[in-house]
Amino acid sequence: MDDEKTRTIKSMYWNQILGSFSSGLASPFVPYFAASIKFNSEEMGALQASQNLFPNVMQYPWGKLSDRLNNRVFFIIFGGVISSLMFIAFIYAKSPLLFISVVIIQSIFGAMVSPAWNALVGDISLPSKRASFIGKLSFYSNLAMLFAGVVFLVYTIIYKTTSVSIYYLPFSVAGIIGVLASVLMLYAKDEKKFRSREKSGLFSILRKDKGFSYFMESQLFYNFFMSISWPLLFITTVDILKASFFQVAMLNLLGLLTTVPFITMFGKIIDKTGTKWLMVISRFMFVPVPIVYAFANSIYDLYFLNIFSGIGQAIANVAFIAYILDASPKEDRGKYVGIYNMLIGIVTFFGSMLGGILGLYIGLFNTYMISFAGRLSGSFLFFKIKEKRVYPQVFSMGMFGGILRKR
């Protein structure tokens, strides 16, 4: 491995560690901050919808521009700096309209990072070890978020208050560390230049790549019904179960405790057996979420749910991006990642808006049931997904469990 590539990889690891620590101090708590300043169901739906739409819908134009300019690193740095500074701006945004406006600004610039980052991952990794590399990056990312969760938990114990001001210090620190994480990518270097295929636009890619198109259809259906319940989860946690700041921090922490240990393991499994069946498993693992929230009597019900779903999150962290990078040619990686996140953002925007409205007019329970039914039916769509490259072993689901066959 040459010195430039080694330096790039080290920069990426440090970016993930510090950037994820920054994000872990603030991102999981933004909706709870909103709930604490008395957002209603409809306003929470608008907030969640904005967080779904703008950071995703902007990824296609940013990804396309990144491909055209043959540049990944600049987009990662600039987008990371601006979006990190918005954590500090949250402190001063006290009205719903102003708060959502800051979220949108953060989302637009944050959208610069993901397609460029994932394209860079694809550029510097060998296909045979790509999922393992993604798994390692995700491991350090989630480990840093876990540490941030512990820090926030200890902070809530020391800073004994029921005031919304408890969020001010973590949000400020998150902004400063996020900027530092982005600046460290100055030590990274883009891979060899390549010529972007100008004619391979959104509709051209979806029309010609049938396998990727079906994958997208399955994900869009599933994510629409998954997002219907998202704005209600925070209302159930804060308003119905009356969770304290400590309990909110514990919820985030427990999910990460089961995500972190499994990420690298699933990365290694995917490199050998492929992405399909682990994607199927991860989809079914998120089906019970709205049911548990609908019937939750105490915060402990949510604790157990987060421990369980953390494993599904570990799979999702590796499997979906590995599939997209398998599907995309090098010159179009930014576009593929952008297309994926843009379309997911659009459907989850409408799903979250609908969920907030339904929660207001037909109640939380009925809305949770709609989300459950959609998640369950959407999970079965993933059985027909086909791998985008040949893996060393085939993992097939038989009647009596998984079967591994060497090629």
Side-chain angles (χ1 to χ4, degrees):
M1 187 180 295
D2 59 57
D3 291 340
E4 285 186 350
K5 192 169 186 177
T6 301
R7 192 175 66 184
T8 298
I9 291 174
K10 287 181 178 179
S11 299
M12 293 177 76
Y13 278 122
W14 278 110
N15 174 272
Q16 285 292 276
I17 291 168
L18 293 177
S20 297
F21 180 80
S22 162
S23 181
L25 282 177
S27 294
F29 307 106
V30 169
Y32 297 107
F33 180 88
S36 297
I37 57 177
K38 305 305 178 185
F39 274 44
N40 62 31
S41 172
E42 199 166 6
E43 290 165 344
M44 285 296 292
L47 172 64
Q48 191 69 59
S50 299
Q51 287 184 304
N52 296 339
L53 179 65
F54 291 99
N56 290 305
V57 77
M58 289 301 298
Q59 287 195 37
Y60 176 67
W62 285 132
K64 187 175 182 179
L65 186 60
S66 171
D67 287 340
R68 181 177 297 176
L69 298 178
N70 297 298
N71 197 309
R72 317 295 196 195
V73 175
F74 169 79
F75 284 78
I76 295 169
I77 295 171
F78 187 76
V81 167
I82 301 300
S83 60
S84 294
L85 289 174
M86 291 304 105
F87 284 132
I88 300 173
F90 285 144
I91 298 169
Y92 304 98
K94 298 297 177 62
S95 71
L97 180 60
L98 185 57
F99 191 87
I100 292 172
S101 298
V102 175
V103 167
I104 291 171
I105 294 171
Q106 183 183 58
S107 300
I108 289 172
F109 285 98
M112 294 181 71
V113 178
S114 184
W117 174 269
N118 287 302
L120 184 60
V121 169
D123 291 346
I124 68 172
S125 60
L126 296 173
S128 60
K129 296 182 179 180
R130 181 172 293 149
S132 295
F133 182 54
I134 295 169
K136 288 178 182 177
L137 286 170
S138 187
F139 170 78
Y140 285 110
S141 171
N142 281 271
L143 187 63
M145 291 188 72
L146 177 62
F147 183 62
V150 172
V151 170
F152 191 92
L153 191 66
V154 173
Y155 170 70
T156 62
I157 296 172
I158 297 172
Y159 196 97
K160 296 178 180 179
T161 181
T162 57
S163 169
V164 72
S165 63
I166 195 171
Y167 293 104
Y168 294 173
L169 180 61
F171 281 16
S172 299
V173 174
I176 295 168
I177 295 179
V179 169
L180 175 61
S182 303
V183 171
L184 284 175
M185 285 299 291
L186 287 169
Y187 290 98
K189 186 176 177 62
D190 286 301
E191 286 294 283
K192 290 181 179 180
K193 301 299 182 182
F194 51 86
R195 183 179 295 277
S196 177
R197 298 187 302 172
E198 296 295 332
K199 294 183 179 179
S200 58
L202 168 64
F203 296 106
S204 174
I205 289 172
L206 293 176
R207 185 176 65 253
K208 293 177 181 178
D209 193 337
K210 299 299 183 184
F212 181 70
S213 181
Y214 179 78
F215 165 76
M216 285 304 310
E217 291 168 6
S218 303
Q219 271 287 72
L220 294 177
F221 183 91
Y222 188 92
N223 276 267
F224 176 77
F225 284 99
M226 186 158 66
S227 65
I228 283 176
S229 64
W230 287 346
L232 311 184
L233 305 181
F234 309 105
I235 291 175
T236 296
T237 304
V238 174
D239 292 342
I240 307 299
L241 299 180
K242 306 296 182 183
S244 66
F245 294 122
F246 175 85
Q247 290 170 329
V248 166
M250 277 297 295
L251 271 178
N252 181 57
L253 193 62
L254 288 172
L256 288 169
L257 279 172
T258 50
T259 299
V260 170
F262 289 100
I263 293 175
T264 53
M265 180 188 76
F266 287 128
K268 292 176 181 178
I269 291 173
I270 288 170
D271 275 336
K272 293 180 180 179
T273 65
T275 60
K276 174 180 177 176
W277 292 110
L278 285 173
M279 286 195 290
V280 171
I281 292 169
S282 78
R283 297 302 80 182
F284 277 101
M285 290 189 76
F286 288 106
V287 169
V289 171
I291 290 290
V292 174
Y293 271 84
F295 290 98
N297 291 315
S298 77
I299 195 67
Y300 294 100
D301 297 328
L302 306 189
Y303 286 165
F304 288 117
L305 174 66
N306 275 27
I307 291 170
F308 173 76
S309 59
I311 300 172
Q313 189 61 51
I315 299 173
N317 284 352
V318 182
F320 289 100
I321 187 60
Y323 180 91
I324 295 166
L325 293 178
D326 284 349
S328 58
K330 181 173 183 176
E331 62 272 15
D332 283 337
R333 282 188 180 130
K335 292 178 187 175
Y336 268 72
V337 174
I339 288 170
Y340 173 80
N341 286 306
M342 179 183 71
L343 295 179
I344 292 292
I346 291 171
V347 299
T348 54
F349 169 82
F350 288 108
S352 293
M353 286 294 290
L354 178 62
I357 294 169
L358 290 176
L360 199 61
Y361 291 102
I362 67 171
L364 271 61
F365 181 85
N366 292 327
T367 309
Y368 281 138
M369 292 303 102
I370 292 171
S371 178
F372 166 73
R375 292 182 191 217
L376 181 61
S377 56
S379 298
F380 289 97
L381 297 175
F382 287 80
F383 283 95
K384 293 185 178 181
I385 287 176
K386 295 180 180 179
E387 298 287 4
K388 299 300 290 186
R389 70 179 179 89
V390 176
Y391 284 85
Q393 296 176 332
V394 179
F395 182 73
S396 61
M397 297 289 285
M399 184 179 297
F400 302 104
I403 301 170
L404 281 174
R405 300 197 310 272
K406 290 184 178 180
R407 290 189 180 276

Coordinates of all heavy atoms in Angstrom, one line a residue, residues 15-16 56 59-60 84 88 106 109 116 118 129 171 184 196 200 214 228 235-236 246 261 277 280 311 323 387 389:
N15 N -11.5 10.7 10.9 CA -12.7 11.4 10.5 C -13.9 10.7 11.1 O -14.8 11.4 11.7 CB -12.8 11.6 9.0 CG -14.1 12.2 8.6 OD1 -15.1 11.6 8.4 ND2 -14.1 13.6 8.5
Q16 N -13.9 9.4 11.0 CA -15.1 8.6 11.5 C -15.1 8.7 13.0 O -16.2 8.8 13.6 CB -15.0 7.2 11.0 CG -15.4 7.0 9.5 CD -16.8 7.2 9.3 OE1 -17.7 6.4 9.5 NE2 -17.2 8.5 8.9
N56 N -31.0 13.9 2.2 CA -31.0 12.9 1.2 C -31.2 13.3 -0.2 O -30.6 12.9 -1.2 CB -32.1 11.8 1.6 CG -31.7 11.0 2.8 OD1 -30.6 10.4 2.9 ND2 -32.5 11.0 3.8
Q59 N -28.3 14.7 -2.1 CA -27.2 13.9 -2.3 C -26.9 13.6 -3.8 O -25.8 13.4 -4.3 CB -27.2 12.6 -1.5 CG -27.0 12.8 -0.1 CD -26.7 11.6 0.7 OE1 -26.1 10.6 0.2 NE2 -27.2 11.5 1.9
Y60 N -28.0 13.5 -4.6 CA -27.8 13.2 -6.0 C -27.1 14.3 -6.7 O -26.1 14.1 -7.4 CB -29.2 12.8 -6.7 CG -29.0 12.6 -8.2 CD1 -28.3 11.6 -8.7 CD2 -29.6 13.5 -9.1 CE1 -28.2 11.4 -10.0 CE2 -29.4 13.4 -10.4 CZ -28.7 12.3 -10.9 OH -28.6 12.1 -12.2
S84 N -21.5 20.8 10.7 CA -21.1 20.7 12.2 C -21.4 22.0 12.9 O -21.9 22.0 14.0 CB -19.6 20.3 12.3 OG -19.4 19.1 11.8
I88 N -24.3 24.1 16.8 CA -24.2 25.2 17.7 C -25.4 26.2 17.5 O -26.0 26.7 18.4 CB -22.9 26.0 17.5 CG1 -21.7 25.1 17.8 CG2 -22.8 27.2 18.4 CD1 -20.3 25.7 17.5
Q106 N -28.4 22.6 7.8 CA -27.5 21.5 8.1 C -27.6 20.3 7.2 O -26.6 19.8 6.7 CB -27.7 21.0 9.6 CG -26.7 20.0 10.0 CD -27.0 19.4 11.4 OE1 -28.1 18.9 11.6 NE2 -26.1 19.5 12.3
F109 N -26.0 21.0 3.5 CA -24.5 20.9 3.4 C -24.0 19.6 3.9 O -23.0 19.1 3.4 CB -23.9 22.1 4.3 CG -24.0 23.4 3.6 CD1 -25.0 24.3 3.9 CD2 -23.1 23.8 2.6 CE1 -25.1 25.5 3.3 CE2 -23.2 25.0 2.0 CZ -24.2 25.9 2.3
A116 N -19.8 11.6 -1.5 CA -18.4 11.7 -1.7 C -17.6 10.7 -0.9 O -16.7 10.0 -1.3 CB -17.9 13.1 -1.4
N118 N -18.8 7.7 0.5 CA -19.0 6.4 0.1 C -18.3 6.1 -1.2 O -17.8 5.0 -1.5 CB -20.5 6.1 0.0 CG -21.1 5.9 1.4 OD1 -20.7 5.1 2.2 ND2 -22.1 6.8 1.7
K129 N -12.6 -7.2 -0.4 CA -12.5 -6.9 1.0 C -13.3 -5.6 1.4 O -13.1 -5.0 2.4 CB -11.0 -6.7 1.4 CG -10.2 -7.9 1.3 CD -8.7 -7.7 1.7 CE -7.9 -8.9 1.6 NZ -6.5 -8.7 2.0
F171 N -24.3 20.1 22.4 CA -24.4 20.6 21.1 C -23.2 21.5 20.7 O -22.7 21.4 19.5 CB -25.7 21.4 20.9 CG -26.9 20.6 20.8 CD1 -26.9 19.2 21.1 CD2 -28.1 21.1 20.3 CE1 -28.0 18.4 21.0 CE2 -29.3 20.3 20.2 CZ -29.2 19.0 20.5
L184 N -9.4 17.3 9.4 CA -8.4 16.3 9.3 C -8.4 15.6 7.9 O -7.4 15.0 7.6 CB -8.7 15.2 10.4 CG -8.3 15.6 11.8 CD1 -8.7 14.5 12.8 CD2 -6.8 15.8 11.9
S196 N -16.2 10.9 -15.7 CA -17.6 10.7 -15.4 C -18.4 10.5 -16.6 O -18.2 11.2 -17.6 CB -18.2 11.8 -14.5 OG -19.5 11.6 -14.3
S200 N -25.1 9.2 -18.0 CA -25.7 8.2 -17.1 C -26.4 9.0 -15.9 O -25.9 9.0 -14.8 CB -24.6 7.3 -16.5 OG -23.6 8.1 -15.9
Y214 N -34.9 -2.6 -8.9 CA -35.8 -3.4 -8.0 C -35.4 -3.2 -6.6 O -36.2 -3.1 -5.7 CB -35.8 -4.9 -8.4 CG -36.6 -5.7 -7.5 CD1 -38.0 -5.7 -7.7 CD2 -36.1 -6.4 -6.4 CE1 -38.8 -6.4 -6.8 CE2 -36.9 -7.1 -5.6 CZ -38.3 -7.1 -5.7 OH -39.0 -7.8 -4.9
I228 N -43.3 6.4 8.7 CA -44.6 6.8 9.2 C -44.5 6.9 10.7 O -45.1 7.7 11.4 CB -45.7 5.9 8.7 CG1 -46.0 6.2 7.3 CG2 -47.0 6.0 9.6 CD1 -47.1 5.3 6.6
I235 N -42.5 11.2 20.6 CA -43.6 11.7 21.4 C -44.0 10.6 22.4 O -44.2 10.9 23.6 CB -44.8 12.0 20.5 CG1 -44.5 13.2 19.6 CG2 -46.1 12.2 21.3 CD1 -45.6 13.6 18.6
T236 N -44.0 9.4 22.0 CA -44.2 8.3 23.0 C -43.2 8.3 24.1 O -43.5 8.1 25.3 CB -44.2 6.9 22.2 OG1 -45.3 6.9 21.3 CG2 -44.4 5.8 23.2
F246 N -31.8 11.1 31.4 CA -30.9 10.0 31.6 C -31.5 8.8 30.8 O -30.7 8.0 30.2 CB -30.9 9.6 33.1 CG -30.2 8.4 33.4 CD1 -28.8 8.4 33.6 CD2 -30.9 7.2 33.6 CE1 -28.1 7.2 33.9 CE2 -30.2 6.0 33.9 CZ -28.8 6.0 34.0
P261 N -20.5 -4.5 18.6 CA -19.8 -5.8 18.6 C -20.0 -6.6 17.3 O -19.2 -7.5 17.0 CB -20.3 -6.5 19.8 CG -20.9 -5.5 20.7 CD -21.5 -4.4 19.7
W277 N -29.1 -11.9 1.8 CA -29.9 -12.5 2.9 C -29.7 -11.8 4.2 O -30.6 -11.7 5.1 CB -29.5 -14.0 3.1 CG -30.0 -14.8 1.9 CD1 -29.3 -15.4 1.0 CD2 -31.4 -15.0 1.6 NE1 -30.1 -16.0 0.0 CE2 -31.4 -15.8 0.4 CE3 -32.6 -14.7 2.2 CZ2 -32.5 -16.2 -0.2 CZ3 -33.8 -15.1 1.5 CH2 -33.7 -15.9 0.4
V280 N -32.3 -9.1 4.0 CA -33.6 -9.7 4.4 C -33.8 -9.7 5.9 O -34.8 -9.3 6.5 CB -33.8 -11.1 3.8 CG1 -35.0 -11.7 4.3 CG2 -33.8 -11.0 2.2
I311 N -28.8 -5.1 16.6 CA -28.2 -6.1 15.8 C -28.6 -5.8 14.3 O -27.8 -5.9 13.4 CB -28.6 -7.5 16.2 CG1 -28.1 -7.7 17.7 CG2 -28.0 -8.5 15.3 CD1 -28.6 -9.0 18.3
Y323 N -23.9 -3.3 -1.1 CA -24.7 -3.6 -2.3 C -24.6 -2.5 -3.3 O -24.4 -2.7 -4.5 CB -26.1 -3.9 -1.9 CG -27.0 -4.2 -3.1 CD1 -27.1 -5.5 -3.5 CD2 -27.6 -3.2 -3.9 CE1 -27.9 -5.9 -4.6 CE2 -28.3 -3.5 -5.0 CZ -28.5 -4.8 -5.4 OH -29.2 -5.2 -6.5
E387 N -27.9 -10.5 -6.2 CA -26.5 -10.0 -6.0 C -26.0 -9.3 -7.2 O -26.3 -9.8 -8.3 CB -25.6 -11.1 -5.5 CG -25.9 -11.7 -4.2 CD -25.7 -10.9 -3.0 OE1 -25.3 -9.7 -3.1 OE2 -25.9 -11.4 -1.8
R389 N -22.6 -9.0 -7.8 CA -21.4 -9.6 -8.2 C -21.3 -11.0 -7.5 O -22.1 -11.3 -6.7 CB -20.1 -8.8 -7.7 CG -19.9 -8.7 -6.3 CD -18.6 -7.9 -6.0 NE -18.3 -7.7 -4.6 CZ -17.5 -8.6 -3.9 NH1 -17.0 -9.7 -4.5 NH2 -17.3 -8.4 -2.6

